[in-house]
Amino acid sequence: MSQDPHIRDYKGAAAGWGALKSVTKSWLGSDNAFKNLRAMLKTNQNGGFDCPGCAWGESPENDTVKFCENGAKAVNWEATGRSVDPAFFARYSVSALADQTDYWLEFQGRLTHPMRYDAATDHYVETSWAEAFALIAKHLHALESPDQAEFYTSGRASNEAAFLYQLFVRAYGTNNFPDCSNMCHEASGVGMAQTLGVGKGTVVFHDLELADAIFVIGQNPGTNHPRMLEPLREAVKRGAQVVCFNPLKERGLERFQHPQHPLEMLSNGSEPTNTAYFRPALGGDMAVMRGIAKYLLQWEREAKAKGEPAVFDHAFIAEHTSGIEAYLQTLDATPWPALVAQSGLTQAEIEQAARMYRKAERVIMCWAMGVTQHRHSVAIVQEIVNLQLLRGNVGKPGAGLSPVRGHSNVQGDRTMGIDEKPKTALLDALQARFEFQVPRTHGHNAVLAIKAMEEGRAKVFIGLGGNFAQATPDTARTHAALRNCALTVQISTKLNRSHLVTGGDALILPCLGRTEIDLQASGPQGVTVEDTFSMVHISHGQLRPRSPHMRSEPWIIAGMAQATLGKHPIDWEHAVADYAHIRSLIADVIPGFEHFNERLQQPGGFHLGNHAADRTWRTATGKAQFSPNALPAELVNAQVLARGDKPDLILQTLRSHDQYNTTLYGLDDRYRGVFGLREVVFVNEADIRRMGFEPGEHVDLVSLWDDGVERRVSGFRLVAYDVPQGQAAAYYPETNPLVPLESYGEGTSTPTSKFVAIKVEKAKADNRIAAALATD
Ligand SMILES: Nc1nc2c(c(=O)[nH]1)N[C@H]1C(S)=C(S)[C@@H](COP(=O)(O)OP(=O)(O)OC[C@H]3O[C@@H](n4cnc5c(=O)[nH]c(N)nc54)[C@H](O)[C@@H]3O)O[C@H]1N2
Ligand SMILES: Nc1nc2c(c(=O)[nH]1)N[C@H]1C(S)=C(S)[C@@H](COP(=O)(O)OP(=O)(O)OC[C@H]3O[C@@H](n4cnc5c(=O)[nH]c(N)nc54)[C@H](O)[C@@H]3O)O[C@H]1N2
Ligand SMILES: [Mo]
């Protein structure tokens, strides 16, 4: 850290000069600056590798180099010159490493050798791949039932890795697939599948170029999907409306700029007039969307009375939907005062949003974690669907639904069958193709996996990427659950806390990243991924791996499978000798992947198709379904209210600009004006004073939940911030200890990470950051 931690206003626009300067700094700070630059230039280009950052897609016609600041960070972070090797582990015991921050851990570099935890010395020691696989097989064979093992997946795994993984796990005998998606966009999949018969976004990149309005709800693209700023900016330039809903004034949404256009950056952003920025209450979006729908209904009735053109798309509704009557009754039955109170907006603001919505012939609704990490997230998603159905905004060019995915292949992993509640069709297809008895009972999601490990019902944890210990809620309980296992295995690129929260036995299996050359028996391999627009393309690593001991994810999965199952149900070694073999298996089993290998030859890849976008509705009624969900009477959970005390604030946990989920690239959050520290909590100044504190003071955050467990994080600095009263925001993963394991969505198991009821107390114990601050 070059400077003392501090807070100051950020004046520039998002993704402009500030961003490029930061990219340059991260390159120059790297040992591999030139190599990285060369690698970067291939990102998302034909023949290069797919950006390991987010799941945003590009126009297939556009073959210019596309990258963004945070994609650059992701590539650079993977291509570090630093190594975490056997000497490193000889130097540090696991307890010594556990005292370090998450930032420090990941900064140490790439994991280079397979390592086994030795409890006697509390050190990781070098092991061979064969010994590691034998240990896994031994533990898996020792279980009373395959359902006592948990197989986690993080969304960076390629299609090839994910398909092989699910085949191994199902052949072993379980559907226990906890997945990062459980903590992420699950509500989008559930909400859309019930109503539209498809759990994925209905738009492609080109639709963004045709839309008259793009609504961005609960998403911070300036940080998390920077390449999305360009189509937003283009939309505003051609006169389309961009309407944002976010309680925080996110810099990237206020002004749109793009690092590819230096001239425009000189203007330092502009405030366009056809945009609006609404700041709802946390969890208020269902009320907002319903309010908009209520205005449409009012205007529809007025138009009918006056004989003016209809507001609803009656032809679409009649031909393609079911359930409109019940939905309109629900609209009438939801009173304005309840909507206004819950939305956090004024009725006039809702009317303004409704006018903007009505004005547009073609509307795209985009959303992310601000929508999906609430108790009633499925209902929020379905209210967005309801609204779009009223005006036929699904399945026409320039219109549709776009849950903007997180991890670069999280959507593909689901498509490949990483699903604890697999569809019968998938299981039938697997059984027919591979001729084994496929397990039919539903398995564990992330929350159920933690409970099973906590209660000793699961004894083996295997993580294909990710950082389960930090990404999940209720950190203390999750850590205890992992420690309760007989074996924990992490297939990873970088050191993180999950390696330090060990079972009796533990393994670290170092894998190649997507940027690296993956050499197998038949030569260098490519892997495929699916972006948020359901485009599938191939990605070829370009950089030489840091260590000859690292292996690709498919190779590691094949090794575990071979050791555990032998050549059942396939010859694993043959499958990974040439990934085209894996793709042939995928083509045999997964719909939409017919002639997979041949179709990959197409530059830019191919689109998987989307039935809802074609207006074919694979729902129970054969139509798109309106959902007359009741507005929640109370957003605060009954288990909070049961305690009898009122929360001081509702906390949302979110990402800074310098992090990728639990990976911290740095300690700054430039657009929010935070430099060199992460233990901060953003609160409205009036709330700070109401609670009897001063801005800058250090406090403890204590979450309210009626189970007798104290959930507290200590030494957070109060930052007076432009956030609506009653709300607070702080970074994840530091605040995950506050999220109760039992506080998850209705119809999903997604932790309510954007709605945590908290008390704010004078700091009990200063943590290390607070102590450092005291000296400045
Ligand atoms: N650089 C970078 N890129 C990433 C990631 C990363 O960590 N770093 N993570 C990736 C992943 S896995 C994901 S899922 C995505 C996440 O992408 P985002 O969803 O953009 O991530 P969050 O930081 O959680 O931001 C949530 C946004 O929603 C707002 N919000 C919170 N609650 C509410 C609410 O109730 N209503 C409304 N309207 N808004 C609300 C917050 O103020 C914040 O702006 O990004 C992906 N891309
Ligand atoms: N409180 C709170 N909690 C949240 C969220 C929130 O907003 N608030 N967001 C949730 C969301 S949206 C998500 S998606 C999850 C994320 O949960 P995860 O996906 O589990 O977490 P990541 O931090 O993305 O994982 C980082 C680790 O992945 C490993 N890694 C990186 N690249 C590769 C690779 O190519 N292969 C392999 N095998 N390993 C690799 C590295 O070792 C790195 O340490 O967290 C969730 N948790
Ligand atoms: Mo995510």
Side-chain angles (χ1 to χ4, degrees), residues 635-648:
L635 289 184
V636 178
N637 197 297
Q639 272 192 268
V640 172
L641 299 173
R643 282 176 55 119
D645 21 61
K646 218 171 120 23
D648 287 331

Side-chain angles (χ1 to χ4, degrees), residues 588-640:
D588 288 349
V589 172
I590 309 286
F593 286 84
E594 298 78 13
H595 310 291
F596 191 5
N597 283 308
E598 294 77 19
R599 280 154 80 205
L600 279 178
Q601 307 299 326
Q602 264 165 254
F606 62 93
H607 187 242
L608 272 182
N610 180 298
H611 293 295
D614 299 337
R615 296 192 167 177
T616 309
W617 315 101
R618 300 201 162 176
T619 58
T621 54
K623 305 265 182 179
Q625 193 67 41
F626 280 97
S627 321
N629 298 311
L631 196 71
E634 210 19 289
L635 289 184
V636 178
N637 197 297
Q639 272 192 268
V640 172

Side-chain angles (χ1 to χ4, degrees), residues 53-55 70-71 180 184-185 216-221 223-226 245-248 250 253 277-278 280-285 367-371 373-374 380 404-407 652-657 659-662 665 672 732 754:
C54 72
N70 280 343
C180 72
C184 184
H185 259 297
V216 183
I217 312 168
Q219 192 196 345
N220 182 21
T223 286
N224 298 313
H225 303 94
F245 297 84
N246 197 312
L248 299 187
E250 302 286 26
L253 281 176
Y277 203 109
F278 298 104
L282 292 173
D285 301 279
W367 69 89
M369 297 302 101
V371 164
Q373 295 178 333
H374 290 285
I380 307 177
V404 182
R405 303 284 163 176
H407 267 303
Q652 63 148 320
T653 64
L654 79 182
R655 291 153 173 80
S656 79
H657 194 65
Q659 78 183 81
Y660 195 94
N661 298 337
T662 69
Y665 302 126
R672 298 195 188 106
Y732 127 81
K754 297 290 186 275

Side-chain angles (χ1 to χ4, degrees), residues 319-342:
E319 189 183 344
H320 290 289
T321 72
S322 146
I324 178 112
E325 298 79 13
Y327 177 62
L328 296 185
Q329 279 167 20
T330 307
L331 282 185
D332 280 328
T334 319
W336 272 114
L339 284 178
V340 170
Q342 195 164 106

Side-chain angles (χ1 to χ4, degrees), residues 59 140 165 199 222 231 243 249 257 308 399 456 468 513 527 572 629 653 739 759:
S59 163
L140 289 177
Y165 192 55
V243 186
K249 278 253 175 189
Q257 291 191 330
E308 288 169 359
F468 192 80
V527 293
W572 302 97
N629 298 311
T653 64
V739 186
K759 284 277 186 202

Side-chain angles (χ1 to χ4, degrees), residues 106 152 154 156 407 467 471 494 496 553 653 662 732 736:
E106 280 243 9
Y152 180 64
S154 167
R156 254 188 213 180
H407 267 303
N467 185 1
K494 291 280 202 87
N496 65 44
E553 291 176 346
T653 64
T662 69
Y732 127 81
N736 254 336

Side-chain angles (χ1 to χ4, degrees), residues 35 133 190 193 230 242 272 287 294 356 360-361 371 505 521 531 582 652 658 665 678 692 776:
K35 260 186 354 193
F133 293 148
V190 171
E230 190 183 31
V242 173
K294 220 168 144 70
M356 295 181 90
E361 277 303 308
V371 164
D505 281 326
D531 70 24
I582 308 176
Q652 63 148 320
D658 271 2
Y665 302 126
R678 290 183 50 89
D776 79 7

Side-chain angles (χ1 to χ4, degrees), residues 507-519:
L507 290 167
I508 297 175
L509 304 182
C511 69
L512 299 175
R514 197 178 292 162
T515 55
E516 283 145 349
I517 299 164
D518 178 355
L519 201 58

